[in-house]
């Protein structure tokens, strides 16, 4: 309980941003859950419209992600695909990105991984190119829901995926939560914003709440000193203890 009381900042990865805003008192739990449901259904519908996906990439220092995406789009155009999408959709940590877009573009990048200095490429088990303009059909349904929900100013700093900066007020939250659907998740940049401090200043304790500890693994790559104060809290721990 004292950890919650002393908490000064929160951030959530992709859909986790809704959880961070609920925690910070900006959104009610039930309303946020409904918004997430509408968002998920709209994004699924957008995914079904175009064969698309997401590719996790770990690159060498020389890797040029923008150039690789440009060439993948040109490849799609040569196949007759109009306005192809292939872009970085998630910035994870130095030398690690998620690229999303048309399936043909991602297949091209897999086949030519060595040319672009990609050390490791792996298709993610998702149905579409989230956080790209292929998700534009999901924008309006989410915008409508958020207009009907009361949004408060957060009680503590919450950082946005869209620009890696703190949310300022309720209208700002409403606008950026919609924009997030079609914008890359700037998680690496958010980590730098959260942990920026004067030299010699101690790093805060960081808690990752929920299933898995992927965000902790990313933090370790972004900021080793901050990661030393990191702890994972599994959301199911209490339920398991109760059963015992």
């Amino acid at each position: 309980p004292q950890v919650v009381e002393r908490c000064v900042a929160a951030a959530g990865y992709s859909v986790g941003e809704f959880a961070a805003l609920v925690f910070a008192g900006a959104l009610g739990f039930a309303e946020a859950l409904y918004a997430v449901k509408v968002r998920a259904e709209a994004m699924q519908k957008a995914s079904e419209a175009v064969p698309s996906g997401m590719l996790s990439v770990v690159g060498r220092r020389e890797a040029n992600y923008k150039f690789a995406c440009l060439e993948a789009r040109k490849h799609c155009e040569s196949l007759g695909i109009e306005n192809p999408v292939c872009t970085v959709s998630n910035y994870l940590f130095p030398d690690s990105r998620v690229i999303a877009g048309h399936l043909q573009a991602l297949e091209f990048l897999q086949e030519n991984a060595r040319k672009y200095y990609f050390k490791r490429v792996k298709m993610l088990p998702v149905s579409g190119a989230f956080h790209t303009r292929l998700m534009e059909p999901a924008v309006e349904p989410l915008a409508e829901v958020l207009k009907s929900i009361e949004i408060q100013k957060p009680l503590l700093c919450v950082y946005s995926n869209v620009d890696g900066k703190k949310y300022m007020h309720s209208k700002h939250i409403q606008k950026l939560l919609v924009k997030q659907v079609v914008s890359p998740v700037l998680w690496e940049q958010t980590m730098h914003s959260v942990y920026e401090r004067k030299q010699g200043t101690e790093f805060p304790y960081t808690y990752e709440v929920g299933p898995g500890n992927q965000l902790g693994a990313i933090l370790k790559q972004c900021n080793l000193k901050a990661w030393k104060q990191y702890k994972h809290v599994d959301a199911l721990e209490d339920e398991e203890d109760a059963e015992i």
Side-chain angles (χ1 to χ4, degrees):
Q2 64 269 35
V3 168
V4 174
E5 284 165 27
R6 289 204 301 263
C7 184
V8 293
Y13 183 91
S14 189
V15 71
E17 202 160 279
F18 284 85
L21 287 163
V22 169
F23 175 74
L27 292 173
F29 177 68
E31 290 87 350
L33 211 56
Y34 179 61
V36 166
K37 177 180 181 285
V38 170
R39 177 185 182 272
E41 287 169 353
M43 287 171 81
Q44 181 58 34
K45 201 173 174 184
S47 299
E48 287 163 6
V50 178
S52 58
M54 303 180 85
L55 184 72
S56 173
V57 178
V58 176
R60 298 186 191 284
R61 287 281 164 87
E62 311 93 303
N64 185 331
Y65 302 96
K66 280 189 178 176
F67 177 66
C69 288
L70 174 67
E71 295 223 317
R73 288 196 298 272
K74 283 181 180 173
H75 168 72
C76 286
E77 283 169 358
S78 76
L79 298 175
I81 297 169
E82 286 183 23
N83 297 322
V85 171
C86 184
T87 185
V88 173
S89 62
N90 305 69
Y91 291 81
L92 302 179
F93 55 85
D95 306 321
S96 180
R97 307 276 186 272
V98 175
I99 293 174
H102 281 80
L103 275 184
Q104 295 91 332
L106 304 183
E107 285 160 4
F108 172 83
L109 291 177
Q110 282 179 294
E111 287 161 17
N112 294 278
R114 289 181 70 179
K115 179 185 174 183
Y116 301 115
Y117 301 101
F118 293 168
K119 282 194 288 189
R120 211 164 61 239
V121 291
K122 184 188 173 189
M123 284 297 290
L124 297 179
V126 295
S127 58
F130 305 139
H131 303 291
T132 73
R133 63 178 168 83
L134 287 175
M135 290 294 115
E136 274 172 3
V139 165
E140 197 52 42
L142 179 60
E144 285 304 309
V145 170
L146 291 174
K147 277 179 198 167
S148 69
I149 290 174
E150 193 179 344
I151 303 174
Q152 309 284 349
K153 188 180 177 184
L155 300 171
L156 48 99
C157 296
V158 180
Y159 289 80
S160 165
N161 287 182
V162 172
D163 57 11
K165 295 174 184 173
K166 298 170 192 172
Y167 279 117
M168 305 307 292
H169 47 75
S170 57
K171 281 272 181 247
H172 194 212
I173 293 169
Q174 186 182 326
K175 181 184 170 185
L176 291 192
L177 278 181
V178 173
K179 197 175 177 185
Q180 192 229 57
V181 172
V182 289
S183 303
V185 173
L186 304 186
W187 192 254
E188 182 186 340
Q189 295 86 332
T190 301
M191 291 297 92
H192 293 319
S193 295
V194 171
Y195 297 104
E196 188 181 9
R197 56 219 334 102
K198 287 176 186 164
Q199 204 154 3
T201 311
E202 279 190 22
F203 283 96
Y205 287 98
T206 298
Y207 297 88
E208 179 177 0
V209 183
N213 53 6
Q214 292 93 330
L215 297 181
I218 292 172
L219 176 59
K220 189 177 183 180
Q221 297 291 336
C222 286
N223 191 322
L224 188 59
K225 285 184 179 175
W227 175 77
K228 286 176 179 172
Q229 304 274 50
Y230 160 88
K231 188 176 190 289
H232 174 236
V233 181
D234 195 311
L236 301 175
E237 273 177 10
D238 289 348
E239 289 176 30
E240 283 166 8
D241 291 345
E243 282 169 20
I244 291 162

